[in-house]
């Protein structure tokens, strides 16, 4: 059993007190765990009420809340947490996840020491059929099992819930060019592969139970597509959408898709942001939106 761990939680505009309390209880109950710390770093939240409520985390044993008033992005905040941590093993959990089983921490601590990167996955909580994010996650839930993830271990890595040795993180930090939403975890997976560092996939999930509004999710999706386009050279081979678009070799086909998006993109977006979103429309919208970005950057 691993005897020391730094639990690192980046948070933005969210209340993660319940998660920290659950992790703190689990850590205290593990008699073989000699050293641990829980560090929450707020990445410049615009909702200062969240900062106020999360500040109480520092009153818990071995817990610390850090208020970073400038937003630096998902990559840089994790690198900051790595530098701040003091123990050999690092457990990263997104601040909007939920701890749903009592042996969560013990399961990670009992993994083999030669597993330098371990991804536990996530499972989908209960949601409404009017919520696009819930429908999207529900449709892809079959891909979240450890068995499925292990088939393409580097492409199926996400930052929501993983343990890594501090040595690996210091040698291969997240790429801080990624300031906007999306794909910093995908590039990290590629970096692990290039450096012959294996990613082990286990079923030690956290709950994904908080679903943003449809409008917010569509805006985040668009931001992610802009990120994908900006870093397409780095991400080639690690994005299904990028592979699909670059596999369309006929200009007339790309032109027809762009024309469709020009004519119907606003209507598609209106449906996706509305009360009865159609999940299949999201795939069409994403392809059209990405091809629009190519056109704006003079790529035929």
């Amino acid at each position: 059993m691993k005897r020391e761990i730094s639990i690192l939680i980046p948070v933005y505009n969210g209340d993660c007190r319940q998660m920290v309390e659950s992790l703190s209880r689990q850590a205290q109950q593990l008699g073989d765990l000699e050293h641990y710390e829980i560090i929450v770093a707020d990445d410049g939240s615009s909702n200062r009420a969240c900062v106020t409520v999360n500040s109480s985390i520092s009153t818990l044993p071995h817990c610390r809340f850090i208020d970073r008033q400038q937003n630096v992005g998902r990559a840089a905040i994790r690198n900051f947490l790595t530098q701040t941590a003091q123990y050999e093993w690092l457990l990263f959990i997104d601040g909007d996840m939920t701890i749903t089983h009592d042996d969560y921490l013990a399961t990670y601590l009992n993994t083999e020491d030669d597993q330098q990167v371990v991804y536990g996955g996530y499972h989908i909580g209960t949601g409404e059929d009017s919520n696009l994010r819930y429908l999207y996650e529900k449709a892809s839930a079959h891909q979240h099992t450890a068995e499925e993830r292990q088939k393409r271990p580097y492409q199926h890595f996400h930052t929501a819930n993983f343990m890594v040795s501090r040595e690996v993180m210091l040698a291969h930090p997240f790429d801080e060019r990624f300031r906007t939403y999306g794909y910093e975890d995908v590039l990290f997976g590629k970096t692990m592969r290039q450096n012959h560092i294996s990613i082990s996939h286990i079923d030690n999930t956290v709950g994904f139970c908080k679903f943003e509004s449809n409008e917010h999710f569509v805006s985040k999706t668009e931001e992610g597509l802009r990120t994908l386009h900006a870093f397409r050279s780095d991400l080639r081979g690690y994005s299904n959408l990028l592979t699909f678009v670059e596999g369309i070799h006929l200009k007339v086909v790309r032109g027809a898709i762009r024309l469709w998006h020009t004519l119907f993109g606003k209507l598609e977006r209106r449906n996706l942001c509305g009360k009865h979103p159609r999940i299949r429309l999201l795939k069409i919208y994403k392809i059209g939106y990405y091809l629009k970005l190519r056109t704006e950057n003079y790529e035929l």
Side-chain angles (χ1 to χ4, degrees):
M1 181 177 185
K2 297 175 177 62
R3 297 186 180 277
E4 60 177 48
I5 193 167
S6 296
I7 302 172
L8 308 175
I9 304 172
V11 64
Y12 179 78
N13 285 348
D15 179 354
C16 62
R17 289 174 298 172
Q18 187 174 358
M19 172 196 286
V20 174
E21 289 168 359
S22 177
L23 291 166
S24 179
R25 282 194 301 272
Q26 291 190 26
Q28 292 176 64
Q29 291 168 1
L30 293 172
D32 292 333
L33 182 59
E34 295 179 352
H35 303 290
Y36 74 92
E37 61 183 352
I38 303 175
I39 306 174
V40 177
D42 184 273
D43 189 21
S45 288
S46 57
N47 185 346
R48 300 305 291 175
C50 291
V51 177
T52 300
V53 297
N54 283 331
S55 63
S56 65
I57 288 167
S58 294
T59 64
L60 296 172
H62 304 277
C63 296
R64 179 155 52 119
F65 176 75
I66 302 174
D67 178 12
R68 288 171 57 86
Q69 297 186 13
Q70 180 179 358
N71 181 269
V72 295
R74 294 160 58 90
I77 193 65
R78 288 176 174 82
N79 291 341
F80 166 77
L81 282 164
T82 298
Q83 295 287 345
T84 305
Q86 59 178 315
Y87 296 127
E88 177 184 2
W89 292 98
L90 312 179
L91 174 55
F92 282 93
I93 316 170
D94 281 358
D96 56 355
M97 294 295 172
T98 303
I99 307 301
T100 57
H101 51 98
D102 293 335
D103 61 348
Y104 167 78
L105 187 54
T107 299
Y108 268 127
L109 293 172
N110 284 320
T111 56
E112 299 296 329
D113 285 347
D114 60 353
Q115 296 177 294
Q116 293 178 293
V117 184
V118 184
Y119 174 48
Y122 64 91
H123 63 270
I124 311 305
T126 312
E128 301 290 337
D129 287 341
S130 59
N131 184 274
L132 181 62
R133 182 63 183 269
Y134 170 69
L135 294 175
Y136 173 79
E137 296 293 345
K138 184 179 177 182
S140 59
H142 64 283
Q143 301 175 6
H144 298 327
T145 66
E147 181 181 2
E148 284 299 313
R149 288 185 266 118
Q150 195 64 56
K151 293 177 181 178
R152 301 180 70 198
Y154 298 100
Q155 287 85 350
H156 286 300
F157 170 81
H158 298 285
T159 57
N161 170 32
F162 75 103
M163 186 177 67
V164 59
S165 74
R166 189 168 186 268
E167 180 182 6
V168 166
M169 281 303 303
L170 290 174
H172 308 288
F174 286 102
D175 190 330
E176 295 189 13
R177 292 178 301 159
F178 285 70
R179 293 292 303 273
T180 54
Y181 176 79
Y183 293 97
E184 78 288 339
D185 48 358
V186 177
L187 187 59
F188 183 81
K190 179 181 178 180
T191 300
M192 294 299 97
R193 185 173 191 171
Q194 290 174 330
N195 288 276
H196 309 290
I197 299 171
S198 63
I199 298 179
S200 302
H201 289 260
I202 65 173
D203 276 319
N204 191 33
T205 60
V206 291
F208 188 175
C209 307
K210 302 173 184 176
F211 306 105
E212 64 265 66
S213 69
N214 294 351
E215 173 67 36
H216 189 199
F217 179 55
V218 172
S219 295
K220 279 177 60 176
T221 299
E222 292 168 343
E223 184 179 1
L225 291 169
R226 294 192 294 271
T227 302
L228 176 62
H229 183 265
F231 294 99
R232 59 197 179 280
S233 297
D234 301 277
L235 297 168
R236 190 164 285 118
Y238 284 77
S239 161
N240 290 335
L241 187 144
L242 189 60
T243 299
F244 177 81
V245 170
E246 294 190 343
I248 304 174
H249 299 296
L250 295 176
K251 292 183 179 179
V252 64
V253 176
R254 294 198 299 269
I257 296 173
R258 282 194 293 265
L259 177 60
W260 176 275
H261 186 77
T262 300
L263 294 174
F264 301 109
K266 290 183 179 179
L267 290 175
E268 291 171 349
R269 195 182 197 280
R270 187 181 305 167
N271 171 267
L272 295 173
C273 293
K275 296 181 179 179
H276 305 284
R278 296 171 58 190
I279 191 66
R280 291 184 180 180
L281 265 187
L282 180 62
K283 298 178 181 179
I284 299 171
Y285 183 78
K286 287 167 67 174
I287 294 169
Y289 189 92
Y290 185 83
L291 282 172
K292 182 192 74 167
L293 293 174
R294 287 175 56 116
T295 302
E296 292 173 349
N297 288 271
Y298 306 104
E299 298 172 63
L300 299 178

